Amino acid sequence: MRALVLAAGMGERLRPLTDVTPKPMLELGGHPLIHYPLAMLRRAGITEVAINLHHLGDAIQRGLGDGSQLGLRITYAPEPILLGTGGPLNGLRDFLGDDTFVIANSDTILDLDLRAMLAFHRDHAALATIALFHPANLDYYSRLEIDADKRLCRMRLLTRRDPLRYDDFPSDLDAAVAATLSGFMYCGVIVAEPAVLDLVPRATPWSLMEGLFAPMVSRAQPVFGYVHTGYFRTMDDLKSYDALKSEFASSPPPKVTL
């Protein structure tokens, strides 16, 4: 089994830090940020990892090397022009092969039991399984809504916060059905079957959610949500970065490091 870690973003909300250091390589708790998702993958026995690169990609490649010091084998996928969150899949079909694969964000820290998520994915015969989390205020995020069987029945992709506006997939879900669903946010990990690669848009750039998984939900294909209830943090801006550094200094979370 192989994985793709998304690391090509500009990190604009963390400037001026990211003018000289790519976001995945910012230090947190004595490790570059990207070490945390890589550790999650390795704990699940996944050692073949592709990492897409764009902004200051050479710094990421120098910092991680071939991955051997982390117990991994890393393949780099440079993007001279950004391909969006989904576009890297177009060029990685051969790398991902004919097996279940994982997509992970490089800026997410969580103690997700990826082995359990993979078992859930297989048990539900899913084409894709998306890790979900319930934040204190869901209004800040797109809403991914599941039924009692954990099947994703609607994605409400946030387009505006004030006032709240969403693009709904599907757009015509019966109100009585919608009222029975539970809403969550995406928390940075996806498990998918190789058949998903036959559904990707041909033209880049494109977004994982809007371009692939939301249309799958609209077509009632088997996309499920795996609810994570443990530790979960993201580093979105300078304020949240400072808060995370303080948290790791005083009480570093267990089960997230290499």
Side-chain angles (χ1 to χ4, degrees):
M1 186 179 298
R2 294 181 172 185
L4 164 64
V5 176
L6 299 172
M10 301 294 292
E12 292 178 350
R13 289 186 292 171
L14 282 156
R15 285 178 170 165
L17 299 178
T18 50
D19 288 336
V20 294
T21 302
K23 183 178 179 181
M25 299 306 291
L26 290 175
E27 186 273 334
L28 182 66
H31 300 278
L33 183 59
I34 197 172
H35 275 203
Y36 295 99
L38 293 176
M40 175 194 66
L41 293 168
R42 198 183 74 178
R43 287 195 299 271
I46 299 171
T47 58
E48 296 273 357
V49 179
I51 300 175
N52 69 328
L53 303 174
H54 177 73
H55 177 60
L56 300 175
D58 288 347
I60 298 174
Q61 193 162 352
R62 286 195 305 271
L64 300 178
D66 63 4
S68 57
Q69 292 189 343
L70 303 173
L72 304 170
R73 289 184 292 275
I74 296 176
T75 296
Y76 293 100
E79 298 180 13
I81 299 174
L82 279 171
L83 302 178
T85 54
L89 294 178
N90 296 59
L92 289 170
R93 287 173 177 262
D94 291 341
F95 172 81
L96 295 171
D98 298 322
D99 196 4
T100 305
F101 63 93
V102 175
I103 304 169
N105 290 347
S106 65
D107 59 356
T108 300
I109 307 165
L110 71 172
D111 60 355
L112 177 75
D113 185 343
L114 184 53
R115 289 184 188 273
M117 183 176 174
L118 288 163
F120 172 96
H121 174 82
R122 297 187 192 100
D123 290 346
H124 288 77
L127 267 181
T129 300
I130 299 176
L132 304 177
F133 185 80
H134 198 284
N137 186 352
L138 193 54
D139 288 346
Y140 286 104
Y141 307 96
S142 295
R143 296 176 62 95
L144 280 62
E145 298 178 342
I146 57 174
D147 64 14
D149 296 322
K150 305 298 190 295
R151 186 167 185 140
L152 266 162
C153 297
R154 183 169 66 173
M155 285 193 183
R156 309 197 71 198
L157 302 183
L158 185 67
T159 60
R160 185 172 174 176
R161 289 199 172 112
D162 187 18
L164 286 173
R165 290 184 183 172
Y166 302 92
D167 283 341
D168 288 348
F169 298 81
S171 59
D172 56 353
L173 187 67
D174 182 86
V177 174
T180 68
L181 304 179
S182 300
F184 296 85
M185 66 173 286
Y186 170 52
C187 65
V189 182
I190 298 169
V191 177
E193 291 302 305
V196 166
L197 297 174
D198 295 329
L199 305 175
V200 304
R202 293 184 179 181
T204 59
W206 60 273
S207 157
L208 274 175
M209 292 303 171
E210 186 176 6
L212 179 59
F213 295 113
M216 288 175 66
V217 171
S218 288
R219 294 191 296 266
Q221 292 179 282
V223 180
F224 285 81
Y226 180 80
V227 179
H228 174 61
T229 58
Y231 186 87
F232 168 63
R233 299 287 190 275
T234 59
M235 199 166 79
D236 299 320
D237 51 29
L238 293 171
K239 182 178 179 180
S240 63
Y241 183 31
D242 287 340
L244 270 172
K245 287 192 291 185
S246 296
E247 178 182 349
F248 271 64
S250 60
S251 54
K255 297 189 295 185
V256 297
T257 55
L258 290 162

